[in-house]
Amino acid sequence: VTTPGAPAPGVTAIEPPALPAGLDTPALVIDIGIVEANARRLGDQLRARGVALRPHTKTHKSVALARIQLAAGAAGITVGTLGEAEVMAAGGIDDIFVAYPVWAVGPKAARLAALHARTDLALSVGFDSVAGAERLAAAAGSSGRPVRVVLEIDPGNGRTGVAPARAGQFAGAARDLGLDVIGVFTHGGHAYRGADAIAGAAADEVSSLAVAADLLLAAGIEPQVVSAGSTPTALAAATGPVTEIRAGTYLLGDRIQVFLGASPPDGVAIAIAATVISTAVDGQVVIDAGAKTLTKDMPDYLIGFGSLPAYPDATIERVFDYHAVVRTPEGSRRPALGEVVTVIPNHCCVVVDLHDEFVATRAGEIVGRWPVDARGRSR
Amino acid sequence: VTTPGAPAPGVTAIEPPALPAGLDTPALVIDIGIVEANARRLGDQLRARGVALRPHTKTHKSVALARIQLAAGAAGITVGTLGEAEVMAAGGIDDIFVAYPVWAVGPKAARLAALHARTDLALSVGFDSVAGAERLAAAAGSSGRPVRVVLEIDPGNGRTGVAPARAGQFAGAARDLGLDVIGVFTHGGHAYRGADAIAGAAADEVSSLAVAADLLLAAGIEPQVVSAGSTPTALAAATGPVTEIRAGTYLLGDRIQVFLGASPPDGVAIAIAATVISTAVDGQVVIDAGAKTLTKDMPDYLIGFGSLPAYPDATIERVFDYHAVVRTPEGSRRPALGEVVTVIPNHCCVVVDLHDEFVATRAGEIVGRWPVDARGRSR
């Protein structure tokens, strides 16, 4: 499928996955052929650099898609919540890093203890405070094995993670609590500020991790895992002391990734099939994919809440729960009432989490309806 | 619970529902006592005006909460999708208006036909095009009964609905297709532009409906239903020819409704319980309710992706999938690492749709875990 016409403002032309006919809409469609190509591409690129890939599965929340990543050589998976870890472990995946400073008290402590008690599961968990580490240590309970932990380092993203210069202090404190400190990790989320921020964010990850890893060594702790993570920084951060990349969005692609240059225009595996349900108001059409299908995720460098590759002049201007208003400039081609259109979402991770299942396709042919196994597992 | 201190910029102080202790977070909490008070308040106010209330249940997607509305005198319910209608009908609710221009082809036509075939269900469906009406008429199939339809009128919201002056033409065409045209409806969504837009939007609904209802009469069609709908316009639009109000958000309340003056500060029944999971970066704390819990819904008149009533100077500045960065000004009180905080979401409808269940409470005591029955039923 080729995208005709010029791209909409701020959007590189995307070659979307082909839609099967006859879908009840709105529907989430994921092309497995494109998924496999994306899994292989980044896997091969990182293998050539001697760096492991531990994909973040919060993007797709699907055991089947995680298996495609493992089959393409991934070293294990990353998750963001214990709920995702529980689902992926139940699906038979045996090497899981919870890249999150889990605060393990009450029900969450019991859930972590249950996962930790599984001797068939290689589990590791993030931390960025001594108080958090104390609770992780307590969760090991009577297992006789320490919980494996990875210290989060802030590379300048300003979200979570300790300053690189303090890595030795925090890692040492965790070791002294009886935890098995296996390394350090960063999230280069500041790459999402725009395409010109990516190289700097990747360099920040590498230099922050280098400082932190050296300080672990100086504290007598071998940093087996030196892990950087984001799709935009995946290649540029796969260097120096870095042993592992935790990209997630690369598997499905989306409008943000193509805009940033982190997904190729033919690397978007995800689409929403939507129907034009109203043309009653002049100058626009209304489709049935609203905020409960596309979300309102819209970085300031993108125009609209998604794009219609077949109608590059159209803008998804407003979204209501079940409606999106698509503005079409005077004189431009517009979809007809009842037409099923392909919509590329801005941010795949939040969109997938709205759907219980997706239509799995290959080149427009349905190969199944696959569950979003960990949908809604946000804790 | 009283909110201490001054409200954050642009936010009226909200008196949030009390949280039970010991919740695994993030968790969606809904106080049933506040729900019941909200259901009674609007029900009583509309009853005093002689206008029916047909609440929009896309807000909560819960059969149990819909039953509270019906017990408080609601005349039936409104839904936005056939999926919601299927769930509510399966829950025993027998009077449902799908306030949406359903495009009934393929699987959707079959689903509509199945609902229409139920003689124990009073079902009506919106339309705003002749082509859409043709498909609704076809869906009646061999039932021997026409589908009951309501013509959507655009009151100046600019989303869906025909111009009021064309109501007679569209209603007549639908009748000639064999449909049972029972009235007209509007959505005064332009009330959400800000508090000073509400009175005008309500007046637009009333005047548009009056014109449309007269044109139906002139075409020989009795407008039994003259239905206006939005929480901000609910009271002001309950006048003149209007027979029915379709408010939804009034039941749960949220930050937008309080800002607009459409919910009282003690009328917010919904809260997210979240835990402070990181304080590693200066000047902020990070909680575990991110974009997959709160959404990124943020109208331009609100600051932040939700509010923390106990910390009125705090701003939820950035959200990631499972993190929210809460900025706390120098010198202000801030929540401690591990503290469970109450977060009021900006827009309740999209937040509820992310959760499979909610913690039902009364004054901070858990009374159950209730399912969000129609979660994810966006088609």
Side-chain angles (χ1 to χ4, degrees), chain B residues 1 4 7 33 45 80 86 121-122 155 160 186 205 212 232 239 266 277 311 313 334-335 339 345 371 379:
Chain B
V1 178
Q45 287 168 324
E86 288 161 345
L121 175 65
T160 36
T186 52
E205 288 195 272
T239 186
D266 62 353
I277 52 89
Y311 298 94
D313 297 325
R334 61 194 301 208
E339 184 173 329
R379 64 174 170 250

Side-chain angles (χ1 to χ4, degrees), chain A residues 56-61 248-249 251-252 348-349 352, chain B residues 292 321:
Chain A
H56 208 314
T57 57
K58 75 183 168 85
T59 297
H60 54 71
K61 294 174 165 271
T249 312
L251 193 73
L252 302 185
C348 61
C349 305
V352 169
Chain B
K292 287 178 177 172
D321 284 17

Side-chain angles (χ1 to χ4, degrees), chain A:
Chain A
V1 179
T2 310
T3 305
V11 185
T12 304
I14 290 173
E15 296 175 32
L19 289 189
L23 293 178
D24 199 0
T25 66
L28 174 63
V29 176
I30 296 179
D31 186 304
I32 304 305
I34 300 175
V35 162
E36 288 169 344
N38 290 341
R40 276 193 305 267
R41 185 189 313 110
L42 186 59
D44 290 349
Q45 287 168 325
L46 292 177
R47 195 172 304 114
R49 288 163 171 78
V51 173
L53 173 58
R54 180 182 288 278
H56 208 314
T57 57
K58 75 183 168 85
T59 297
H60 54 71
K61 294 174 165 271
S62 156
V63 172
L65 297 189
R67 292 206 169 284
I68 288 174
Q69 294 174 303
L70 293 167
I77 67 165
T78 304
V79 299
T81 67
L82 288 189
E84 290 178 350
E86 288 162 344
V87 168
M88 292 293 169
I93 292 174
D94 63 3
D95 190 337
I96 302 177
F97 171 37
V98 186
Y100 196 87
V102 173
W103 187 258
V105 299
K108 214 169 247 103
R111 293 166 60 206
L112 175 59
L115 283 168
H116 175 67
R118 291 183 53 159
T119 52
D120 59 338
L121 175 66
L123 181 76
S124 51
V125 182
F127 78 102
D128 78 351
S129 68
V130 176
E134 287 170 354
R135 283 151 184 84
L136 294 177
S142 56
S143 68
R145 292 181 295 122
V147 174
R148 299 202 309 167
V149 296
V150 189
L151 176 62
E152 183 165 5
I153 306 294
D154 178 19
N157 184 34
R159 182 185 72 182
T160 37
V162 305
R166 301 183 68 189
Q169 169 195 339
F170 279 86
R175 176 197 49 200
D176 297 346
L177 288 164
L179 291 162
D180 181 11
V181 182
I182 61 169
V184 286
F185 77 105
T186 51
H187 171 55
H190 48 321
Y192 286 101
R193 291 174 193 163
D196 56 359
I198 295 173
D204 289 345
E205 287 196 274
V206 174
S207 62
S208 301
L209 288 168
V211 168
D214 283 348
L215 291 170
L216 260 61
L217 269 178
I221 297 168
E222 172 76 26
Q224 306 158 49
V225 173
V226 179
S227 176
S230 89
T231 289
T233 64
L235 291 181
T239 185
V242 172
T243 65
E244 172 182 285
I245 292 291
R246 302 186 323 283
T249 312
Y250 79 98
L251 193 73
L252 302 185
D254 57 26
R255 212 169 156 230
I256 290 174
Q257 297 299 339
V258 174
F259 178 84
L260 293 176
S263 284
D266 63 352
V268 178
I270 185 174
I272 299 292
T275 300
V276 177
I277 51 88
S278 175
T279 56
V281 175
D282 286 343
Q284 67 186 33
V285 305
V286 180
I287 60 176
D288 58 1
K292 286 178 178 171
T293 301
L294 294 172
T295 81
K296 289 194 181 176
D297 205 307
M298 183 170 65
D300 56 15
Y301 45 78
L302 289 184
I303 296 171
F305 296 98
S307 66
L308 281 65
Y311 298 94
D313 297 326
T315 303
I316 302 181
E317 200 174 69
R318 289 184 290 154
V319 283
F320 300 77
D321 284 17
Y322 303 121
H323 307 73
V325 174
V326 182
R327 174 80 39 209
T328 54
E330 184 99 30
S332 71
R333 264 186 351 108
R334 63 194 299 208
L337 186 60
E339 184 172 328
V340 176
V341 294
T342 302
V343 182
I344 303 299
N346 288 347
H347 181 195
C348 61
C349 305
V350 288
V351 167
V352 169
D353 193 43
L354 292 167
H355 295 84
D356 289 321
E357 64 172 28
F358 60 89
V359 181
T361 63
R362 286 185 186 274
E365 298 296 317
I366 296 177
V367 298
R369 292 184 190 259
W370 294 10
V372 181
D373 304 283
R375 194 216 61 74
R377 299 299 299 264
S378 295
R379 65 172 169 252

Side-chain angles (χ1 to χ4, degrees), chain B residues 137-271:
Chain B
S142 56
S143 68
R145 292 181 295 121
V147 174
R148 299 202 310 168
V149 296
V150 189
L151 175 62
E152 183 165 4
I153 306 294
D154 178 20
N157 184 35
R159 182 184 73 182
T160 36
V162 305
R166 302 183 67 189
Q169 168 196 338
F170 280 84
R175 175 197 49 201
D176 296 346
L177 288 165
L179 290 163
D180 181 11
V181 182
I182 62 169
V184 286
F185 77 105
T186 52
H187 170 56
H190 48 321
Y192 286 101
R193 291 173 195 167
D196 56 0
I198 296 173
D204 289 345
E205 288 195 272
V206 175
S207 62
S208 300
L209 288 168
V211 168
D214 283 349
L215 290 170
L216 260 62
L217 269 178
I221 297 168
E222 172 76 25
Q224 306 158 50
V225 173
V226 179
S227 177
S230 90
T231 288
T233 63
L235 292 181
T239 186
V242 172
T243 65
E244 173 183 285
I245 292 291
R246 301 186 323 284
T249 312
Y250 80 98
L251 193 73
L252 301 184
D254 58 26
R255 210 166 157 232
I256 291 174
Q257 297 299 338
V258 174
F259 178 85
L260 293 176
S263 285
D266 62 353
V268 178
I270 185 173

Side-chain angles (χ1 to χ4, degrees), chain B residues 99-117:
Chain B
Y100 196 86
V102 174
W103 187 259
V105 299
K108 214 170 247 102
R111 293 166 60 206
L112 176 59
L115 283 168
H116 176 68

Side-chain angles (χ1 to χ4, degrees), chain B:
Chain B
V1 178
T2 309
T3 305
V11 184
T12 303
I14 291 173
E15 296 174 33
L19 289 189
L23 292 178
D24 199 1
T25 65
L28 174 63
V29 176
I30 296 179
D31 186 304
I32 304 305
I34 300 175
V35 161
E36 289 169 344
N38 290 342
R40 276 194 303 268
R41 185 188 314 109
L42 186 59
D44 291 349
Q45 287 168 324
L46 292 177
R47 196 172 303 113
R49 287 163 171 78
V51 173
L53 174 58
R54 180 183 287 277
H56 207 314
T57 57
K58 75 183 167 85
T59 297
H60 54 72
K61 293 172 166 274
S62 155
V63 172
L65 296 188
R67 292 206 170 284
I68 289 175
Q69 294 174 303
L70 292 166
I77 66 166
T78 304
V79 298
T81 67
L82 288 189
E84 290 178 351
E86 288 161 345
V87 168
M88 293 293 170
I93 292 174
D94 63 3
D95 189 337
I96 301 177
F97 171 38
V98 187
Y100 196 86
V102 174
W103 187 259
V105 299
K108 214 170 247 102
R111 293 166 60 206
L112 176 59
L115 283 168
H116 176 68
R118 293 183 52 159
T119 53
D120 59 338
L121 175 65
L123 181 76
S124 51
V125 183
F127 78 103
D128 79 350
S129 68
V130 175
E134 286 171 353
R135 283 151 184 86
L136 295 176
S142 56
S143 68
R145 292 181 295 121
V147 174
R148 299 202 310 168
V149 296
V150 189
L151 175 62
E152 183 165 4
I153 306 294
D154 178 20
N157 184 35
R159 182 184 73 182
T160 36
V162 305
R166 302 183 67 189
Q169 168 196 338
F170 280 84
R175 175 197 49 201
D176 296 346
L177 288 165
L179 290 163
D180 181 11
V181 182
I182 62 169
V184 286
F185 77 105
T186 52
H187 170 56
H190 48 321
Y192 286 101
R193 291 173 195 167
D196 56 0
I198 296 173
D204 289 345
E205 288 195 272
V206 175
S207 62
S208 300
L209 288 168
V211 168
D214 283 349
L215 290 170
L216 260 62
L217 269 178
I221 297 168
E222 172 76 25
Q224 306 158 50
V225 173
V226 179
S227 177
S230 90
T231 288
T233 63
L235 292 181
T239 186
V242 172
T243 65
E244 173 183 285
I245 292 291
R246 301 186 323 284
T249 312
Y250 80 98
L251 193 73
L252 301 184
D254 58 26
R255 210 166 157 232
I256 291 174
Q257 297 299 338
V258 174
F259 178 85
L260 293 176
S263 285
D266 62 353
V268 178
I270 185 173
I272 299 292
T275 299
V276 176
I277 52 89
S278 175
T279 55
V281 175
D282 286 342
Q284 67 184 32
V285 304
V286 180
I287 59 175
D288 59 0
K292 287 178 177 172
T293 300
L294 294 173
T295 82
K296 289 193 179 176
D297 204 308
M298 183 170 65
D300 56 16
Y301 46 79
L302 289 184
I303 295 170
F305 295 98
S307 66
L308 281 65
Y311 298 94
D313 297 325
T315 303
I316 302 181
E317 200 174 68
R318 289 183 292 155
V319 283
F320 299 78
D321 284 17
Y322 303 122
H323 307 74
V325 174
V326 182
R327 174 81 38 208
T328 54
E330 184 97 29
S332 70
R333 267 191 344 112
R334 61 194 301 208
L337 187 60
E339 184 173 329
V340 176
V341 295
T342 302
V343 182
I344 304 298
N346 288 347
H347 181 194
C348 60
C349 305
V350 287
V351 167
V352 169
D353 193 43
L354 292 167
H355 295 84
D356 290 321
E357 63 173 28
F358 60 89
V359 181
T361 64
R362 287 185 185 273
E365 297 297 317
I366 296 177
V367 298
R369 292 184 190 260
W370 295 9
V372 182
D373 304 283
R375 194 216 60 74
R377 300 299 299 264
S378 294
R379 64 174 170 250

